[in-house]
Structures are given as structure tokens and as C-alpha cells.
Amino acid sequence: EEGDQVDTNGRLHASGRVRFAEVEFGANKRMCKSFGIKRLPYVYIHKGKAGKLDDFVCGPSKFQQLVDKVQEYRDVDADEILLQRQLQEGQALGNEIIQGLQEEQAQGIGMANSTQSVFR
């Protein structure tokens, strides 16, 4: 429904909002391994300058997961995805800084308590 519509000769009749491609694993082992593909069938979701969005093994039992991911990403702008990633990275950095400060504070309190007991 969302993909390109092609005829039996592979000619494009209508562009979709999503493009699907198939890669022959045997003829492209090196490329597949560079993407970390170890099991087939495998889905790699990529969107313009945002790059990789998701990847997963996708047999028949996981087809709904593919449909859900296509619906999730089809209307999201690549710039919006990049901004969200930057926000998440900033949040992770902030969490690391807070954890480090808390650990330093806990060590400082522990050292202060041990120093006090030496001088008692």
C-alpha cells in the first residue's frame, strides 16, 4: 500500500511513500555482514539523512512489526528524527554527569566519615 508500484518487468508505475529493496544474500555477503545481518529474512529501515532507524529479523510471524514500523516512520521528517536523537544523547550525557557527581559526593561523605573517626 505504501510502497512503489511496479509492473512484472520492474518498471515503476507509481511512486510510493516507502521504497522496498531486496538484496540477494549469497551475492552480497560482504555487504550483509557489514550491516550485521546474520539471519534471514531481515529488514533494515533507513530514512534519508537520518540514516538507520531500525533493523530486525522479519519472518512471517513478525510481519505486523514491519507494518507498524513503516507506519511509525513514514510521516516523520528526517530532521525531526535527528533532533530527537540529539535530545536523547543530551539526556544520556546529563544522566551520566549527575551519576558521576552523586558518586563523587557519596565518596566524599564516606571519606569525611572515615576522617572523623580517625580524629575521635
Side-chain angles (χ1 to χ4, degrees), residues 80-92:
E80 192 175 325
I81 293 167
L82 291 171
L83 176 61
Q84 184 65 32
R85 284 183 186 161
Q86 289 173 338
L87 291 172
Q88 289 170 347
E89 289 170 4
Q91 181 67 45

Side-chain angles (χ1 to χ4, degrees), residues 20 37 39 41-45 54-59 66 69:
F20 295 92
I37 298 170
R39 293 180 39 209
Y42 200 83
V43 172
Y44 184 94
I45 300 174
D54 208 341
D55 65 326
F56 50 93
V57 174
C58 186
L66 173 60
K69 292 293 181 181

Side-chain angles (χ1 to χ4, degrees), residues 7-22:
D7 64 19
T8 55
N9 295 320
R11 287 187 296 250
L12 183 66
H13 282 282
S15 292
R17 294 169 44 183
V18 178
R19 179 157 297 152
F20 295 92
E22 183 177 353

